[in-house]
Amino acid sequence: MKNRFILLSLPLFFIYASPVLAEESLSLEKALSIAWPHNPTVEEKRKDLDASKGRFISKSALEGPEVLFEIGGFKPEEINGEKITPDKNLDTFEIVQPLEYPPVWFLKSGVARDDIRISESELSLAWAQTQNKVRNAYMNALYSAEAVKVFQSSLEAAQRFLDQVEVKYQSGGTSKVERLRARIELSRAQAELLESQNIEESSKAELNLLLGRPADTPLVLEGTLAYESIQAKKEELL
């Protein structure tokens, strides 16, 4: 009986011990700081830059010295019909340092240095484009989250309206047409809320991918959309 209790309790233990993913609070500044080291495009351009620097070091450095030596005495010699094995000794030994023609060396170094500049420019461009994409994705996700709240309020209002119409209809105070119209409005509000929720999930997935994370990573966006009036003098606009 004791063993049976242990076996039955194991599934419950694994269920309650399973980790729960907590939603991460994410600001725009934090999103950009995550994108810099983890965005796939930026990471690829950074690796290209590191490779260009490595090629520059390789092209600018002198080739390694070479050691040349010759050992004699391994092949027997025949003198007057008699095979004589000579003493094994080191006949020659020298160290050679290969040197390229100076103009060729400067040309290779210059090309490698230009590759570094190109890679740096490509990294800067990729980062600028990524920043723009992250900002757009963040604002889209923030806007879609606000839209969900609006459509949720619309759904609640449509549900209250239908409840009121149902009460009137049961008491004979309204027609079937009014009742049908209230139900249609409720169905429309439900569809709009579902669509807005799908857009919110899609926007968050796009943002997560730009940050180099799984698309389904839970997150809560910081900040709200607020109206700000822009006041400018006529002279500043001309």
Side-chain angles (χ1 to χ4, degrees):
M1 186 68 180
K2 182 178 180 182
N3 294 335
R4 182 180 301 176
F5 172 77
I6 294 176
L7 292 176
L8 291 176
S9 64
L10 284 176
L12 295 177
F13 171 77
F14 285 114
I15 291 175
Y16 287 106
S18 60
V20 178
L21 295 177
E23 293 184 338
E24 178 185 3
S25 181
L26 187 69
S27 64
L28 179 57
E29 291 75 14
K30 185 176 181 181
L32 291 173
S33 66
I34 295 175
W36 169 248
H38 299 295
N39 178 266
T41 302
V42 176
E43 186 177 6
E44 180 181 357
K45 295 301 180 182
R46 193 183 299 110
K47 290 180 179 179
D48 290 343
L49 176 58
D50 293 339
S52 297
K53 292 180 179 179
R55 287 192 295 269
F56 173 74
I57 295 175
S58 176
K59 296 296 183 182
S60 301
L62 295 175
E63 296 185 14
E66 299 178 357
V67 178
L68 304 178
F69 58 90
E70 181 181 352
I71 300 177
F74 287 96
K75 184 178 180 181
E77 298 180 2
E78 186 173 346
I79 301 176
N80 298 327
E82 182 181 358
K83 291 185 178 180
I84 299 175
T85 302
D87 296 334
K88 298 179 177 63
N89 57 354
L90 184 64
D91 291 344
T92 60
F93 179 85
E94 59 180 334
I95 298 177
V96 179
Q97 174 63 62
L99 293 175
E100 285 186 316
Y101 193 53
V104 176
W105 181 84
F106 282 112
L107 179 60
K108 288 184 177 180
S109 300
V111 171
R113 190 179 294 107
D114 291 339
D115 287 341
I116 292 179
R117 296 193 184 100
I118 293 174
S119 298
E120 289 174 342
S121 300
E122 291 179 347
L123 176 59
S124 300
L125 178 60
W127 174 233
Q129 293 174 341
T130 300
Q131 288 184 84
N132 187 43
K133 291 180 180 179
V134 169
R135 289 191 178 98
N136 290 338
Y138 188 92
M139 297 307 297
N140 289 337
L142 194 60
Y143 172 80
S144 61
E146 294 293 331
V148 169
K149 296 178 182 178
V150 172
F151 287 117
Q152 181 66 46
S153 299
S154 299
L155 177 61
E156 294 172 357
Q159 184 63 58
R160 288 193 299 267
F161 178 71
L162 177 60
D163 294 341
Q164 295 173 0
V165 171
E166 287 287 352
V167 172
K168 291 182 180 180
Y169 178 77
Q170 295 299 329
S171 62
T174 188
S175 63
K176 289 184 178 180
V177 175
E178 187 69 17
R179 183 190 185 194
L180 179 60
R181 187 176 71 85
R183 289 185 173 180
I184 292 175
E185 289 297 328
L186 179 62
S187 298
R188 181 181 300 171
Q190 291 172 339
E192 289 175 342
L193 176 60
L194 180 60
E195 182 180 2
S196 65
Q197 289 173 337
N198 291 336
I199 293 176
E200 180 186 18
E201 293 300 321
S202 176
S203 301
K204 289 183 177 181
E206 180 184 1
L207 179 59
N208 278 322
L209 292 176
L210 286 171
L211 303 184
R213 308 190 301 185
D216 58 349
T217 302
L219 56 88
V220 176
L221 303 180
E222 295 181 359
T224 56
L225 296 176
Y227 169 76
E228 284 188 19
S229 61
I230 300 177
Q231 298 180 356
K233 297 181 180 180
K234 181 179 179 181
E235 294 78 6
E236 296 177 353
L237 299 177
L238 296 178

